[in-house]
Amino acid sequence: MADTGENSALFPIFILSIIALPLVPYTILKLLRVASKKEKSIHCACSVCSRSGKYRKSIFRRISKFSTCSNFTVLLLWVIVIFLVYSIKQSSREIEAFDPFSILGLAPGVTESAIKKAYRRLSIQYHPDKNPDPAAHKYFVEYISKAYQALTDPVSRENFEKYGHPDGRQGFQMGIALPQFLLDFNGSSGGILLLWILGGFILLPMAVGVVYLSRASKYGGNNVRRETLVTYFELVKPSLAPSKVMDVFVKAAEFMDIPVRRADDEPLQELFKLVKSELNLDGKNARQEQTKFWKQHPAIVKAELLIQAHLLRKADTFSSNLQQDYKHVLQFTPRLLEGLIKMATVPRTAKGHGWLRPAIGIVELSQCIIQAVPLSARKAGSGSSDGVASLLQLPHFSDAVIAKIAKKVRTLQNLLDMTLQERAELLSDVAGLSAAEVQDVEKVLELMPRATIEVTCETEGEEGIQEGDIVTVQAWVTVRRANGLIAALPHAPYYPFPKGENFWFLLADANSNDVWFSESINVMDEAAAITTASTITEAKMEASGANMEEIAAAVKDAVAKVKRGCRLILGKIQAPQAGNYSLDSHLMCDAWIGCNTKTNLKLKVLKRSRAGSRGGNVAGGVQDENDVEDEDEDDIEEDEEGDQSEYSESEDEDEDKDEDEDDEADKQNNNSNRKGFANGSARRKGRK
């Protein structure tokens, strides 16, 4: 065994090695990521967003950006490494090899008289009779005396000159790199080593595992509590109107953590009076509805009042306590809305479909919260399904400004269709906006996304689709902006946190209120989109029997397409019973109002023949193409400007009855001017 002093001195080296092995490559990886990271998200540059301070690069914001738990842990570990290096350097003399010539200050091979002379000189300096310092006494006994004995003894000197040690050839030594007090089993600390092993290698991993499992059992996907997801699953109904989505949204368990203070009673009463018209309280039974509203959990009441006040852009009137609660509520909003959408589109029916009506309402609620536009502004009117909400999201636009330009501009699309000069004249001469305010409006209009969507549904390796087949849904979504950007942060000056754009793709049947397929699209993450498109394209080309050159060319084209702003979606659905289906492909942005895209998709499903034949042959014979066209003409077509928003429904009407009446009205007023796609493919361009 090695000397205990050497063991104790080697302990910092052992700990340093354990820490440095993972720390050094991890730190290099983080530095490379920071160095190679490009600015992929550009925020709105209008004066309203600039005044909000949300994107201001202050010193505090720069520090808070990097003061994450991961970065703090890395910094702490590097501090420990520096301390260990310093400790090793200070204690390096303790583990140096014994060199009597160096101790006496002599060169190897000197005479015995020179050795005695050096010993007498050092004795005058370190001998206890000459120097009362205990450290000098210790150095004289442990080093000077031993060195003198080793060099004056002929055998010891020969051994040192030949083998480097006064005792001769040394065998292999082993030791434990632990401090001395952990190895002192004869003293009172004999069991510390055992406790250290149990704590460091058994109890600590178990504690970390318990904490992780407890958190994993408490939270589901996207850091949403499981009890919240269960509540959303139970409360979401197929007939849930968009105007009622707020009542479901505020039931999240995350909102229960909002502190309830007695000092907030009076401010909340004032908020209630301010947002009363937005709470969907029945006018006939107003008192009963108000009493029912206040009987809810106080945290739920506070959350809904704060959100409604945010929609009315009254957050600047909050007290300091309500400001904290307000930010706490809005911080959880995006992830909770995403969880709510998933609960609406999760397979519910016997056919494995979700529900369209509540899903659209949830996305529309997300748009209103990000843009701070009241839900009542979405009531259909003036030829727009979004009401005036799409115009209120523009900077410097108010109800008064919209009323002034109502004769020429009734929808957001009308404003986008104008030339730059026409818009400037309208906004300055009619609306009374200044030149700087007109410039802000132009910046936001240039930042708005214009979406294009191409959807195909097919059975891989087969010509047609038969009932029961696994159908592959593939969609290319392209996002363009007038300013040339692909990914950007939306104009949202009233939302207190940076929020990226997310798009939701819904393939649904409006007649049955069924969502056949849904997918979330993040335009911001180009690297993930490239990986997805490459993998899907390569797998598809391999399945078709293409050679390596064709596969490489297809993957290269897919990557180039992604870099131009396209995103690829792929999913599988099961073909329903034989028939002709008119499906709608919805592409909805959760941060912008009026930037949604919808296209109609014709899907023809054949009866499954006994022989498994394809290409239009069904069990009872061949179906005539003219019959197919006649049936296609009876399908529901989209009507962008004519669709009525469900926010215009009377609050005292029954939701199920409204849904049945709306569906019947759609069937009676469908537009048969457009021709369907017989092979289950469709292409739709967004707003110009």
Side-chain angles (χ1 to χ4, degrees):
M1 292 288 291
D3 183 73
T4 56
E6 293 185 6
N7 289 332
S8 181
L10 290 174
F11 177 69
I13 300 177
F14 171 72
I15 297 299
L16 177 63
S17 302
I18 295 298
I19 296 176
L21 281 175
L23 180 61
V24 172
Y26 181 72
T27 305
I28 294 175
L29 181 62
K30 288 183 71 70
L31 293 176
L32 290 176
R33 287 178 178 177
V34 172
S36 61
K37 187 177 181 181
K38 298 179 180 179
E39 186 68 25
K40 296 182 180 181
S41 60
I42 300 178
H43 59 79
C44 179
C46 73
S47 61
V48 182
C49 288
S50 300
R51 286 195 301 268
S52 68
K54 185 165 54 175
Y55 306 110
R56 189 176 298 136
K57 296 182 179 180
S58 61
I59 297 177
F60 176 78
R61 190 175 296 275
R62 291 173 184 269
I63 294 175
S64 61
K65 182 179 180 181
F66 293 98
S67 60
T68 61
C69 182
S70 174
N71 293 340
F72 179 77
T73 302
V74 171
L75 180 61
L76 179 62
L77 290 176
W78 274 111
V79 171
I80 295 175
V81 167
I82 294 173
F83 175 76
L84 290 174
V85 171
Y86 177 78
S87 300
I88 293 170
K89 185 177 180 181
Q90 292 296 320
S91 61
S92 60
R93 274 201 299 177
E94 298 181 5
I95 59 174
E96 287 180 355
F98 180 74
D99 187 356
F101 290 104
S102 177
I103 294 173
L104 297 178
L106 300 173
V110 297
T111 62
E112 186 173 349
S113 61
I115 295 173
K116 292 180 180 181
K117 184 178 180 180
Y119 174 72
R120 286 193 298 268
R121 177 174 52 80
L122 294 175
S123 297
I124 296 174
Q125 184 178 357
Y126 292 100
H127 195 277
D129 295 339
K130 304 294 183 180
N131 191 342
D133 187 4
H137 181 202
K138 181 179 179 181
Y139 182 72
F140 180 80
V141 173
E142 294 184 359
Y143 290 92
I144 297 175
S145 296
K146 290 183 178 181
Y148 177 72
Q149 293 175 4
L151 295 181
T152 54
D153 184 14
V155 177
S156 298
R157 181 171 181 175
E158 183 181 359
N159 288 334
F160 179 80
E161 293 176 347
K162 185 179 294 186
Y163 302 108
H165 197 279
D167 296 334
R169 187 189 299 274
Q170 299 295 304
F172 180 74
Q173 293 184 346
M174 296 181 61
I176 301 176
L178 293 176
Q180 179 61 31
F181 73 92
L182 292 179
L183 301 174
D184 188 11
F185 292 99
N186 295 325
S188 60
S189 60
I192 296 181
L193 177 60
L194 180 61
L195 294 178
W196 187 82
I197 294 175
L198 289 176
F201 294 97
I202 298 178
L203 296 181
L204 182 60
M206 288 180 61
V208 173
V210 169
V211 172
Y212 173 79
L213 292 176
S214 62
R215 178 176 176 81
S217 62
K218 187 177 180 180
Y219 289 88
N222 202 26
N223 288 328
V224 178
R225 290 188 183 179
R226 295 188 182 276
E227 52 187 315
T228 298
L229 297 176
V230 172
T231 301
Y232 285 168
F233 184 85
E234 294 174 350
L235 295 180
V236 173
K237 304 299 180 183
S239 59
L240 182 66
S243 57
K244 300 294 184 181
V245 172
M246 178 71 76
D247 299 334
V248 177
F249 170 65
V250 296
K251 298 299 191 302
E254 281 80 355
F255 294 151
M256 298 299 179
D257 297 334
I258 302 175
V260 179
R261 315 176 191 88
R262 290 187 178 181
D264 295 335
D265 291 344
E266 185 176 350
L268 290 179
Q269 289 288 347
E270 296 297 326
L271 276 183
F272 177 78
K273 296 177 183 179
L274 185 65
V275 304
K276 183 178 178 181
S277 59
E278 298 288 332
L279 293 177
N280 295 326
L281 301 180
D282 191 352
K284 298 179 181 179
N285 303 313
R287 292 185 179 180
Q288 296 180 4
E289 292 293 332
Q290 292 181 26
T291 303
K292 183 179 178 182
F293 175 80
W294 286 105
K295 283 185 178 180
Q296 298 180 102
H297 192 283
I300 295 178
V301 173
K302 178 185 281 190
E304 184 166 1
L305 291 177
L306 292 175
I307 294 175
Q308 292 289 0
H310 165 72
L311 297 179
L312 293 175
R313 301 180 180 179
K314 301 296 183 181
D316 54 348
T317 62
F318 293 161
S319 62
S320 58
N321 289 334
L322 287 182
Q323 279 286 351
Q324 295 178 1
D325 300 336
Y326 162 72
K327 291 184 178 180
H328 177 78
V329 168
L330 291 189
Q331 186 177 12
F332 289 105
T333 294
R335 69 179 73 169
L336 292 178
L337 287 171
E338 184 175 345
L340 187 54
I341 294 175
K342 292 180 179 179
M343 290 300 102
T345 56
V346 69
R348 301 286 195 107
T349 66
K351 298 179 181 179
H353 298 157
W355 295 325
L356 176 62
R357 191 183 190 191
I360 292 178
I362 296 165
V363 178
E364 290 178 347
L365 174 61
S366 175
Q367 296 171 354
C368 288
I369 291 178
I370 301 302
Q371 295 297 335
V373 174
L375 296 175
S376 58
R378 298 196 74 115
K379 291 183 179 180
S382 303
S384 172
S385 60
D386 295 316
V388 297
S390 59
L391 294 174
L392 286 175
Q393 69 184 336
L394 299 176
H396 314 297
F397 267 62
S398 61
D399 292 331
V401 173
I402 294 175
K404 292 179 181 179
I405 63 175
K407 292 183 179 180
K408 293 187 177 181
V409 174
R410 304 176 65 185
T411 65
L412 177 63
Q413 188 61 46
N414 295 148
L415 196 63
L416 291 170
D417 291 339
M418 289 182 173
T419 63
L420 184 63
Q421 183 177 359
E422 290 175 345
R423 276 199 302 268
E425 293 176 354
L426 176 68
L427 296 178
S428 59
D429 298 341
V430 180
L433 300 183
S434 64
E437 292 173 340
V438 173
Q439 186 65 25
D440 287 340
V441 175
E442 290 297 333
K443 290 179 181 179
V444 174
L445 292 177
E446 291 177 354
L447 192 65
M448 283 186 172
R450 280 77 166 172
T452 301
I453 182 171
E454 301 178 20
V455 187
T456 59
C457 293
E458 59 184 5
T459 303
E460 295 181 0
E462 304 293 347
E463 295 182 2
I465 300 175
Q466 292 188 2
E467 52 186 3
D469 284 349
I470 300 300
V471 180
T472 300
V473 179
Q474 179 175 301
W476 276 102
V477 175
T478 305
V479 177
R480 293 279 191 272
R481 304 175 201 272
N483 59 8
L485 297 176
I486 296 175
L489 294 176
H491 165 79
Y494 298 97
Y495 188 76
F497 304 102
K499 170 68 174 67
E501 295 175 347
N502 284 325
F503 290 83
W504 281 92
F505 172 76
L506 303 175
L507 182 63
D509 186 352
N511 295 332
S512 61
N513 191 34
D514 287 348
V515 175
W516 291 29
F517 175 74
S518 64
E519 186 67 30
S520 175
I521 309 167
N522 185 3
V523 183
M524 313 289 287
D525 195 348
E526 183 181 278
I530 290 176
T531 302
T532 300
S534 301
T535 303
I536 293 174
T537 304
E538 183 177 357
K540 188 174 182 180
M541 294 297 292
E542 288 179 353
S544 63
N547 55 40
M548 295 301 296
E549 294 182 357
E550 294 174 341
I551 294 175
V555 170
K556 184 178 180 180
D557 292 341
V559 171
K561 202 171 181 179
V562 170
K563 291 182 178 180
R564 292 195 301 268
C566 300
R567 299 294 182 264
L568 179 60
I569 306 171
L570 188 71
K572 304 285 185 179
I573 60 174
Q574 186 173 11
Q577 296 179 353
N580 294 307
Y581 295 87
S582 179
L583 304 180
D584 290 328
S585 300
H586 297 264
L587 184 65
M588 307 184 69
C589 181
D590 67 347
W592 292 95
I593 303 175
C595 294
N596 303 331
T597 301
K598 184 174 72 172
T599 184
N600 187 256
L601 175 68
K602 301 296 184 181
L603 186 66
K604 177 183 177 183
V605 181
L606 306 175
K607 290 184 178 180
R608 180 166 294 280
S609 61
R610 296 179 181 177
S613 59
R614 301 272 178 175
N617 295 329
V618 297
V622 180
Q623 191 172 1
D624 187 75
E625 290 186 359
N626 295 329
D627 294 337
V628 174
E629 291 183 0
D630 292 338
E631 292 179 7
D632 288 344
E633 289 177 356
D634 292 334
D635 291 328
I636 296 177
E637 302 289 346
E638 66 169 328
D639 186 6
E640 280 188 9
E641 304 297 337
D643 289 346
Q644 295 294 318
S645 172
E646 299 192 48
Y647 287 96
S648 62
E649 297 177 8
S650 177
E651 298 297 339
D652 58 352
E653 292 183 358
D654 183 76
E655 295 177 358
D656 295 332
K657 181 178 178 181
D658 289 343
E659 182 185 17
D660 295 338
E661 291 176 356
D662 292 342
D663 292 343
E664 185 65 24
D666 290 340
K667 293 178 182 179
Q668 293 177 0
N669 298 292
N670 62 63
N671 190 346
S672 59
N673 294 330
R674 300 180 183 177
K675 186 176 180 180
F677 293 84
N679 293 328
S681 63
R683 178 173 179 174
R684 174 71 180 178
K685 291 187 176 180
R687 301 182 184 276
K688 297 181 180 179

